[in-house]
Amino acid sequence: MKQDNIVPPDAGSGNALASGGNAVEVKDLVKTFDNGNVRALDGVSISVPVGQLLVIIGLSGSGKSTFLRHLNGLHLPTEGSVEVLGNVIPDLKRPELRSLRRDIGFVFQQFNIVGRLTCIENVLSGALGRIRGPRIGAMMYPKSLRVEAFEQLERVGLADRAWQRTDTLSGGQQQRVAIARSLMQKPKIVLADEPVASLDPEISGQVMELLVQCCIEDGITVLCSLHQVDLALGWADRLIGLRDGKVVLDSLVKGLDQEEVMGVYRELDPTGEKENEYRVSETDPSSQ
Ligand code: ADP
Ligand code: MG
């Protein structure tokens, strides 16, 4: 395969930053669904400096996924503005949006990898935006990308599984493949929507550590929604709490105590009975 099939790295959305030098600049974002009957986001303003590791917490239904989906154009604002890497999202034409999406990796709760493909093929698919033309099977990719894909698998500790079908791996291993695939994209931003919600606490910690370490090494800005407050406090630079589509906490983690964080949940739960559900990671014996 010819090397010249690789799209030069600067063919993406460039190095532009949102106003104020931030990677993400969201102002007064409102998102309604069902003809305005559901107000999923209600005046959210968040600026994220380049390289920051931001974790978003909040009850189920508080708007975490809706917020993240605005950042790569999966949702368009009802009101307000969303600027990512210098691109005002609602103004982008289709090719410009495609180009911006090359710079944004997305890691989902349900991994979203192709189980019947090998690990290396899944990781290589992260480079599809960097090359011209479709590819079927690992050997159809340029050798330089295959070497890179191995290196990414090595970073997540799965080089020895490269040629194994991905659906034969455990949940934690599958999510590590998904992380390697996003890194293969060479993103400037990684959006992670409850990336460890399907994993048990010990594996969750390991997967978060991998995600965070790799992103720090590569200088990637991370916006990650998490269900587990202990993990959020362990890995984030900054914590945002959402409740009913509004920002109710926005603080650097340094110096923030767990009681303050629990306030994000407490007002909805005056008895405090549900607090422990969020304080500690939940165990799902079926995951590993
Ligand atoms: P979270 O990720 O914090 O659990 P979501 O962002 O998924 O919350 O949802 C926020 C609110 O928006 C919820 O009330 C949810 O039911 C609603 N919602 C999200 N997506 C849609 C949609 N596509 N259509 C209608 N309502 C939606
Ligand atoms: Mg969600």
Side-chain angles (χ1 to χ4, degrees):
M1 198 57 51
K2 281 190 205 153
Q3 286 291 104
D4 61 6
N5 276 340
I6 302 178
V7 179
D10 61 355
S13 62
N15 290 310
L17 296 176
S19 36
N22 292 315
V24 170
E25 189 87 44
V26 172
K27 281 196 193 127
D28 306 319
L29 176 61
V30 173
K31 180 65 176 178
T32 61
F33 294 108
D34 295 342
N35 297 320
N37 290 323
V38 176
R39 207 168 173 85
L41 295 174
D42 192 4
V44 169
S45 296
I46 298 174
S47 304
V48 187
V50 173
Q52 189 165 68
L53 175 56
L54 172 71
V55 168
I56 303 168
I57 57 167
L59 289 166
S60 178
S62 58
K64 303 181 294 296
S65 300
T66 305
F67 176 74
L68 291 176
R69 289 166 70 87
H70 277 84
L71 303 181
N72 70 349
L74 285 170
H75 283 323
L76 295 179
T78 307
E79 289 170 33
S81 66
V82 176
E83 208 181 322
V84 179
L85 299 170
N87 299 273
V88 179
I89 297 251
D91 297 349
L92 297 182
K93 299 194 174 61
R94 211 169 259 273
E96 292 165 336
L97 182 60
R98 238 193 334 263
S99 165
L100 174 64
R101 281 182 176 157
R102 274 188 217 134
D103 286 339
I104 304 176
F106 215 130
V107 179
F108 301 86
Q109 174 179 347
Q110 291 309 331
F111 320 143
N112 286 51
I113 44 181
V114 185
R116 67 189 157 72
L117 295 183
T118 60
C119 295
I120 191 97
E121 284 167 327
N122 269 297
V123 176
L124 278 164
S125 71
L128 278 172
R130 295 164 54 194
I131 52 180
R132 297 192 178 94
R135 296 288 185 278
I136 301 161
M139 300 315 279
M140 294 283 286
Y141 286 81
K143 185 168 179 219
S144 60
L145 289 183
R146 276 184 272 141
V147 170
E148 227 181 276
F150 262 108
E151 284 167 2
Q152 295 296 1
L153 275 174
E154 222 157 37
R155 289 176 90 187
V156 299
L158 290 173
D160 58 334
R161 305 298 177 103
W163 298 101
Q164 199 168 320
R165 260 177 76 129
T166 315
D167 55 9
T168 63
L169 304 184
S170 70
Q173 289 169 326
Q174 290 189 36
Q175 192 61 307
R176 279 148 65 187
V177 172
I179 290 169
R181 180 187 55 190
S182 323
L183 295 169
M184 190 69 193
Q185 221 182 304
K186 298 232 178 280
K188 297 190 175 89
I189 297 177
V190 163
L191 306 175
D193 195 3
E194 306 224 19
V196 294
S198 309
L199 307 173
D200 77 24
E202 196 189 333
I203 304 295
S204 295
Q206 292 168 8
V207 169
M208 272 310 288
E209 178 166 8
L210 255 175
L211 177 66
V212 168
Q213 289 310 330
C214 290
C215 288
I216 290 173
E217 275 168 31
D218 293 0
I220 297 169
T221 308
V222 180
L223 287 89
C224 173
S225 69
L226 276 181
H227 185 72
Q228 304 94 327
V229 169
D230 53 348
L231 282 183
L233 287 171
W235 298 114
D237 294 328
R238 173 179 170 202
L239 212 58
I240 293 233
L242 284 183
R243 191 167 56 216
D244 291 337
K246 292 191 176 72
V247 174
V248 293
L249 173 80
D250 182 354
S251 170
L252 294 176
V253 165
K254 208 168 175 201
L256 184 67
D257 70 37
Q258 189 153 335
E259 287 311 309
E260 240 176 300
V261 180
M262 295 320 295
V264 173
Y265 304 104
R266 191 171 295 124
E267 279 170 40
L268 284 181
D269 171 30
T271 62
E273 278 169 17
K274 281 192 168 172
E275 218 171 274
N276 282 338
E277 253 183 59
Y278 300 100
R279 190 185 293 274
V280 293
S281 309
E282 289 174 351
T283 305
D284 174 359
S286 65
S287 67
Q288 45 171 317

